Amino acid sequence: GDSVTQMEGPVTLSEEAFLTINCTYTATGYPSLFWYVQYPGEGLQLLLKATKADDKGSNKGFEATYRKETTSFHLEKGSVQVSDSAVYFCALSANTGNQFYFGTGTSLTVIP
Amino acid sequence: DTAVSQTPKYLVTQMGNDKSIKCEQNLGHDTMYWYKQDSKKFLKIMFSYNNKELIINETVPNRFSPKSPDKAHLNLHINSLELGDSAVYFCASTTGGWVSYNEQFFGPGTRLTVL
């Protein structure tokens, strides 16, 4: 069945460091891929998405490219800030649009 | 305007009690979900409704019963609460349908603590 595997945390980085959170997926058909962010005490909110192979999603300095050949959707940011401290979830949506599959979440802490 | 709202935000109750959590979305979406998030932030899908019809019913105790009076509302009733039910419960919605590119919108969560 469809699934998402993402890098386990927690991840601790210094401000301005480079961030990569790995995400790989297993899916039949042509899923869409998402990164969600959950700030402390809040619900999940969409960070970025890509709906077909080679698409790059980007938002707030974060980027991820949908790589069908490696079934990956790694999240990157060139220079993290303290305000990026949150839990990040990789997710995929199958063709039906009703079933979402979430990764286990990766907790990121950025220290000044 | 809040897109997906949940009430209450916090719920503290004794073991054995029955409680309900309510969810409303004003996005005009057809599909709504309930998720349970444990202390390690793992998200588990519980139920999903599409236009008031149950379409996803994962393996959860039958003490949990969802109800969708209309497509804008999805409530969760929990009978005979147990300590292990303590978690954050999230409601979410999406346009649904036979496409994959529509994201889910999440509510702020209900933190349930069973004593």
Side-chain angles (χ1 to χ4, degrees), chain B residues 24-105:
Chain B
E24 175 181 1
Q25 54 92 6
N26 62 6
L27 298 166
H29 288 165
D30 292 328
T31 307
M32 297 182 73
Y33 306 78
W34 278 112
Y35 289 89
K36 178 181 180 181
Q37 186 177 49
D38 63 21
S39 58
K40 295 184 178 174
K41 305 296 185 184
F42 180 69
L43 266 180
K44 175 181 161 60
I45 179 79
M46 300 175 72
F47 304 103
S48 177
Y49 272 74
N50 179 264
N51 270 321
K52 303 194 295 176
E53 182 183 344
L54 182 66
I55 56 171
I56 296 174
N57 187 4
E58 293 294 316
T59 306
V60 298
N62 57 15
R63 299 181 294 103
F64 290 80
S65 52
K67 279 193 174 46
S68 182
D70 55 62
K71 75 173 192 176
H73 295 84
L74 180 61
N75 303 323
L76 183 65
H77 188 76
I78 317 170
N79 288 326
S80 302
L81 278 155
E82 300 178 357
L83 293 176
D85 298 332
S86 295
V88 181
Y89 292 84
F90 286 101
C91 177
S93 72
T94 189
T95 303
W98 294 94
V99 296
S100 67
Y101 49 75
N102 294 314
E103 66 264 32
Q104 289 191 343
F105 290 78

Side-chain angles (χ1 to χ4, degrees), chain A residues 32 36 38 49 96-99, chain B residues 33 56 97 99-101 104:
Chain A
S32 291
Y36 283 82
Q38 183 180 24
K49 72 178 185 181
T96 63
N98 291 320
Q99 180 73 334
Chain B
Y33 306 78
I56 296 174
V99 296
S100 67
Y101 49 75
Q104 289 191 343

Side-chain angles (χ1 to χ4, degrees), chain A residues 13-69:
Chain A
L13 294 173
S14 298
E15 210 165 19
E16 299 183 4
F18 184 84
L19 169 71
T20 300
I21 301 178
N22 290 338
C23 172
T24 57
Y25 68 90
T26 301
T28 54
Y30 306 97
S32 291
L33 300 172
F34 306 84
W35 277 101
Y36 283 82
V37 58
Q38 183 180 24
Y39 297 106
E42 298 184 11
L44 280 73
Q45 55 186 275
L46 181 69
L47 180 59
L48 53 84
K49 72 178 185 181
T51 59
K52 61 182 187 297
D54 300 325
D55 266 3
K56 178 187 282 188
S58 60
N59 185 24
K60 299 182 181 178
F62 291 89
E63 292 184 339
T65 301
Y66 187 162
R67 303 261 186 227
K68 192 168 171 61
E69 63 275 15

